Short mmCIF file of all heavy atoms in Angstrom, two decimals:
data_model
loop_
_atom_site.label_atom_id
_atom_site.label_comp_id
_atom_site.label_asym_id
_atom_site.label_seq_id
_atom_site.Cartn_x
_atom_site.Cartn_y
_atom_site.Cartn_z
N HIS B 89 -2.38 -13.83 -7.69
CA HIS B 89 -3.61 -13.48 -8.43
C HIS B 89 -4.53 -14.72 -8.48
O HIS B 89 -4.04 -15.82 -8.70
CB HIS B 89 -3.25 -13.00 -9.82
CG HIS B 89 -4.42 -12.31 -10.51
ND1 HIS B 89 -5.60 -12.90 -10.85
CD2 HIS B 89 -4.55 -10.99 -10.84
CE1 HIS B 89 -6.40 -12.00 -11.39
NE2 HIS B 89 -5.78 -10.84 -11.44
N SER B 90 -5.79 -14.48 -8.31
CA SER B 90 -6.74 -15.61 -8.38
C SER B 90 -6.97 -16.09 -9.77
O SER B 90 -6.97 -15.31 -10.73
CB SER B 90 -8.11 -15.13 -7.80
OG SER B 90 -8.00 -14.83 -6.45
N ILE B 91 -7.28 -17.37 -9.87
CA ILE B 91 -7.79 -18.00 -11.10
C ILE B 91 -9.11 -18.67 -10.67
O ILE B 91 -9.20 -19.22 -9.58
CB ILE B 91 -6.78 -19.04 -11.59
CG1 ILE B 91 -5.64 -18.33 -12.34
CG2 ILE B 91 -7.42 -20.07 -12.55
CD1 ILE B 91 -6.03 -17.65 -13.61
N GLY B 92 -10.10 -18.70 -11.58
CA GLY B 92 -11.39 -19.30 -11.22
C GLY B 92 -12.28 -18.21 -10.58
O GLY B 92 -12.09 -17.05 -10.76
N THR B 93 -13.27 -18.71 -9.84
CA THR B 93 -14.32 -17.81 -9.40
C THR B 93 -13.99 -17.13 -8.06
O THR B 93 -13.62 -17.81 -7.09
CB THR B 93 -15.63 -18.60 -9.25
OG1 THR B 93 -15.95 -19.09 -10.55
CG2 THR B 93 -16.76 -17.68 -8.77
N VAL B 94 -14.17 -15.84 -8.03
CA VAL B 94 -13.97 -15.02 -6.82
C VAL B 94 -15.27 -14.22 -6.58
O VAL B 94 -15.66 -13.46 -7.45
CB VAL B 94 -12.77 -14.07 -6.92
CG1 VAL B 94 -12.58 -13.30 -5.63
CG2 VAL B 94 -11.49 -14.89 -7.28
N ASN B 95 -15.88 -14.43 -5.49
CA ASN B 95 -17.14 -13.74 -5.21
C ASN B 95 -16.94 -12.29 -4.82
O ASN B 95 -15.86 -11.90 -4.32
CB ASN B 95 -17.89 -14.42 -4.09
CG ASN B 95 -18.33 -15.86 -4.47
OD1 ASN B 95 -18.80 -16.07 -5.59
ND2 ASN B 95 -18.23 -16.79 -3.55
N VAL B 96 -17.99 -11.53 -4.98
CA VAL B 96 -17.99 -10.09 -4.51
C VAL B 96 -17.57 -10.06 -3.04
O VAL B 96 -17.97 -10.93 -2.25
CB VAL B 96 -19.44 -9.59 -4.72
CG1 VAL B 96 -19.71 -8.42 -3.78
CG2 VAL B 96 -19.62 -9.13 -6.20
N GLY B 97 -16.73 -9.11 -2.71
CA GLY B 97 -16.23 -8.98 -1.33
C GLY B 97 -14.98 -9.77 -1.05
O GLY B 97 -14.34 -9.62 0.01
N GLU B 98 -14.59 -10.67 -2.00
CA GLU B 98 -13.39 -11.49 -1.79
C GLU B 98 -12.18 -10.83 -2.57
O GLU B 98 -12.40 -9.98 -3.44
CB GLU B 98 -13.63 -12.92 -2.32
CG GLU B 98 -14.63 -13.67 -1.40
CD GLU B 98 -14.82 -15.13 -1.88
OE1 GLU B 98 -14.75 -15.41 -3.11
OE2 GLU B 98 -15.08 -15.97 -1.03
N ILE B 99 -11.01 -11.29 -2.20
CA ILE B 99 -9.81 -10.71 -2.74
C ILE B 99 -9.25 -11.52 -3.90
O ILE B 99 -9.11 -12.74 -3.79
CB ILE B 99 -8.75 -10.56 -1.62
CG1 ILE B 99 -9.22 -9.49 -0.65
CG2 ILE B 99 -7.39 -10.17 -2.18
CD1 ILE B 99 -8.55 -9.56 0.70
N SER B 100 -8.86 -10.85 -5.02
CA SER B 100 -8.37 -11.54 -6.21
C SER B 100 -6.95 -11.17 -6.55
O SER B 100 -6.30 -11.85 -7.37
CB SER B 100 -9.27 -11.23 -7.39
OG SER B 100 -9.29 -9.82 -7.64
N LEU B 101 -6.42 -10.12 -5.94
CA LEU B 101 -5.05 -9.69 -6.23
C LEU B 101 -4.36 -9.25 -4.94
O LEU B 101 -4.97 -8.51 -4.16
CB LEU B 101 -5.03 -8.53 -7.27
CG LEU B 101 -3.67 -7.88 -7.54
CD1 LEU B 101 -2.68 -8.84 -8.14
CD2 LEU B 101 -3.82 -6.67 -8.45
#
Side-chain angles (χ1 to χ4, degrees):
Chain B
H89 196 295
S90 296
I91 282 292
T93 299
V94 181
N95 293 320
V96 155
E98 292 182 328
I99 292 161
S100 59
L101 173 61

